[in-house]
Amino acid sequence: MTKKNTITVKQSNKLGFKLTDVKTGLQALRNHANTLMLAKRAGADNGLLRLETANFLETVFDMVEIYSDELDRVACYLLECDNPDELRAYEEEEKGE
């Protein structure tokens, strides 16, 4: 027996925007990492480079946690797309944040 998908176009678009936000953030982190590597290769001051790298790593740590949570929520929503009760619970949780 095939279950019916209960995700609306609006909900699907919302998930797509969330995934796009994660991708955009990951690209920003990648660009920042590239900048640090270019600065290192160009002979930037080691002390300043270490400070900037440490700051960047703290940002990466925080952002990976945020993106991981967001991807978990999107995955849960997609995995439960055939369960209206779970989708309602998901939507209520989203409203509470």
Side-chain angles (χ1 to χ4, degrees), residues 7-17 77:
I7 292 179
T8 66
V9 171
K10 183 179 177 182
Q11 292 164 325
S12 181
N13 286 340
K14 184 178 176 182
L15 293 173
F17 286 125
Y77 197 85

Side-chain angles (χ1 to χ4, degrees), residues 18 21-22 25-26 29 58-74 97:
K18 287 182 178 199
D21 288 345
V22 170
L26 291 173
L29 291 175
E58 287 179 24
T59 300
V60 168
F61 182 81
D62 293 340
M63 296 311 296
V64 165
E65 188 168 335
I66 290 168
Y67 294 149
S68 180
D69 290 345
E70 191 64 32
L71 291 173
D72 282 345
R73 284 194 293 275
V74 170
E97 291 186 339

Side-chain angles (χ1 to χ4, degrees), residues 26 28-34 36 49-63:
L26 291 173
L29 291 175
R30 182 177 167 193
N31 290 341
H32 194 154
N34 286 340
L36 289 172
L49 190 57
R50 272 197 304 264
L51 175 65
E52 289 302 316
T53 300
N55 290 338
F56 173 68
L57 290 175
E58 287 179 24
T59 300
V60 168
F61 182 81
D62 293 340
M63 296 311 296

